[in-house]
Structure formats: structure tokens, C-alpha cells
Amino acid sequence: MITLPLDIQLLFAGILFMLGLVGVLVRRNIFFILMSIEIMLNSAGLVFIIASAYWKQPEGQAMFIFILAVAAAEVSIGLALILRVYHHYRTLDVEAINKLKDKE
Amino acid sequence: MNGFFYIAAGVAIISTIFVITGKNAIHALLYLIVSFLSISVIFYLLDAPFIAALEVIIYAGAILVLFIFVTMMLNIVIEKKKEKKWLKPRMWVIPVILAVTLFVDLVFAVKSVPSHTIEKGIVLPKELGIAIFTRYLPAVEITAILLLIGVIGAYHLGSQKKKVFHRFLEKK
């Protein structure tokens, strides 16, 4: 439907990916880190859709559906882990959960 | 039609910036929904109407609602105060420099190939279904197993231990 150069669309997806990357690096709240990971996954899917529109093949869209399933599974596990961490430590700070050993 | 792309892209980028800089989790989630909806507009403009519908239904509908449920279970007021303490301006410097460096790298990589224009050529949901359920059928089955693992893992992690005492008698 649109007639734009390929590089502008790829750069838009790149900007979204970089915003997600900055979010992962900067935030200390584990909840916001999970949200930034969602942004990054979504921008990766956007690249697949752009490639699918460019080559006029359905493969990119099929790959997006798989990314969607991976994101759904990842979010359900991640949110369950966040709830567990919050009940145990009463905080969402990632630096509070850097100890693997159990508290004695 | 190209103007719609720029509008949707601008809305997506601005709302994503609000997501990663926001302090209130609920507000950040609502901005994330705006971002996903505008990306869905872009999918529609890229001749993928089925994927646009999936983005609205699954991402903005299911995954973000899951996030909002979990936000309701956590204590947002305390976390909001801690967010202000954690988010100092100087913490942003190095990650932003790194990301901008990577982005400049990406710009050079994209610009080094000759630019082409995407032309009209719609991929119908029928072709997508044929591709998924014939050529990529093993991948679909593996994805089904992955979703099953997600269900079992979330159930296992989310299940509470059985309480022996009444909750008023429990030691804090």
C-alpha cells in the first residue's frame, strides 16, 4: 500500500530496537526490563514483516507468528518469575536478586 | 499513503520513549499499548492485514493485559518512589551512547546496499495459512510444545505453597 524506500522502514525498526535496548540497559526495575524486551521482540518482528512485503512472500509473516508465540510464552514465564521474586524479596530491583545462593 | 507511515512511526517512537522513561508502571503500559497499536497500523500499511489484526489481538489484547494484571498484584506506590531514586540522569549516558553507536553502525549497513522501493503486493492470509500448515508444519508443532511449556512453567512458578496456619496466625 505504501511506496517507501526500504531503508527508511528498516531504520524505523532499528530505532525501535535501540529504544528497547536502552530500556534494558538503563532500567533497574525488572518489570520495565520485561517491557523493553517486548519492544525489542516486536521490532524484530517488524523487520520480518518489512522483508515479507519486500519479497512478496508469506515466509516473513509466518515467522512473525512464531515470534508472537515465543513472546507469549516468554511473558507468561517472566511474569510468574516476577511475582515470585516480589513475594520473596519485596522489591523489583534487579540488583537485589543477584545472589544465587539461598538465604541462610 | 506514505504520510500515514510517518505519522504512525512518529507515534510509535514517541510512545516507546515514554515507556522506557516512565516512572509509573501503569502509564508506561498504556503507552506501550499505544506503541503496539501504531505498529499495527504500520503492518496494515505494509500489506499484512492479518498480522495487523494479530498484533492488536495478541500483543495489545492478551500480553499487555497480562502485564496489567501483574501490575495490579504488585505494590505500585512503593515501587514508584523507588523508581525515582533508581533513575538518575547520569545512568542514561553510557547506554544511550552505546545504542547510538550501534544505530549509526546500522545506518551505514543499510545505506551501503542500494535502496529499493517497496511496491504493492499483498500477501493474503490464505497464502500465509498454506505456508504455515504445509512447509512449516514442524515449526508449528514445536511452537505448540513451547506454549505448553509456558503454561506448565507459569503454573509451577505461580502456585503458592499450601498454608498450614490461618493467615492471621502467621508470623510476619
Side-chain angles (χ1 to χ4, degrees):
Chain A
M1 213 176 285
I2 50 176
T3 54
L4 274 176
L6 184 64
D7 46 2
I8 287 177
Q9 310 192 5
L10 287 178
L11 289 183
F12 166 61
I15 288 172
L16 277 184
F17 191 85
M18 291 308 158
L19 285 175
L21 184 65
V22 170
V24 170
L25 290 176
V26 169
R27 302 306 295 242
R28 279 171 64 190
N29 192 333
I30 194 168
F31 196 75
F32 281 87
I33 290 177
L34 202 60
M35 275 198 258
S36 305
I37 290 174
E38 285 305 306
I39 295 169
M40 289 164 79
L41 270 177
N42 207 16
S43 69
L46 180 61
V47 175
F48 273 113
I49 297 296
I50 291 168
S52 166
Y54 180 66
W55 295 106
K56 301 179 184 58
Q57 297 289 323
E59 267 78 8
Q61 301 192 8
M63 215 52 80
F64 183 82
I65 290 179
F66 297 142
I67 289 178
L68 211 62
V70 170
E74 175 239 332
V75 160
S76 62
I77 296 277
L79 287 177
L81 276 174
I82 285 178
L83 276 181
R84 218 49 202 277
V85 163
Y86 189 75
H87 284 151
H88 199 262
Y89 291 98
R90 290 285 151 197
T91 180
L92 289 177
D93 189 356
V94 284
E95 293 188 10
I97 47 177
N98 55 0
K99 295 180 185 66
L100 278 175
K101 194 163 184 281
D102 207 2
K103 267 194 288 188
E104 309 246 327
Chain B
M1 276 297 171
N2 291 353
F4 286 113
F5 177 84
Y6 288 117
I7 292 170
V11 171
I13 289 172
I14 290 169
S15 54
T16 308
I17 289 173
F18 279 127
V19 171
I20 63 168
T21 57
K23 294 183 178 61
N24 192 332
I26 286 283
H27 294 173
L29 278 172
L30 294 178
Y31 278 122
L32 194 58
I33 290 178
V34 173
S35 166
F36 284 163
L37 289 180
S38 53
I39 290 174
S40 139
V41 171
I42 288 172
F43 285 161
Y44 184 73
L45 292 174
L46 282 170
D47 294 323
F50 180 60
I51 297 296
L54 275 187
E55 172 94 5
V56 173
I57 293 169
I58 297 180
Y59 258 114
I63 293 180
L64 267 300
V65 168
L66 208 64
F67 269 103
I68 288 176
F69 279 155
V70 171
T71 317
M72 288 173 181
M73 291 185 198
L74 306 178
N75 200 346
I76 291 299
V77 182
I78 295 173
E79 293 301 320
K80 195 180 161 190
K81 283 177 195 159
K82 285 180 188 164
E83 280 301 318
K84 282 184 183 159
K85 203 171 61 187
W86 293 339
L87 273 184
K88 289 174 188 147
R90 65 184 164 82
M91 287 185 70
W92 288 86
V93 177
I94 294 174
V96 169
I97 289 172
L98 288 177
V100 167
T101 314
L102 267 181
F103 182 70
V104 170
D105 224 2
L106 183 71
V107 170
F108 278 111
V110 169
K111 288 286 179 192
S112 64
V113 292
S115 179
H116 299 284
T117 305
I118 292 182
E119 283 157 16
K120 197 177 168 73
I122 191 162
V123 177
L124 293 172
K126 185 182 171 189
E127 298 169 40
L128 178 61
I130 289 172
I132 283 181
F133 290 111
T134 55
R135 275 169 284 170
Y136 297 107
L137 192 57
V140 172
E141 288 171 357
I142 292 169
T143 309
I145 294 172
L146 179 75
L147 285 175
L148 181 67
I149 291 170
V151 170
I152 293 171
Y155 173 73
H156 176 72
L157 289 171
S159 62
Q160 305 272 344
K161 264 186 198 159
K162 203 177 165 188
K163 281 183 181 165
V164 189
F165 301 112
H166 189 269
R167 61 193 161 95
F168 291 133
L169 299 175
E170 199 175 29
K171 271 188 277 184
K172 286 287 174 185

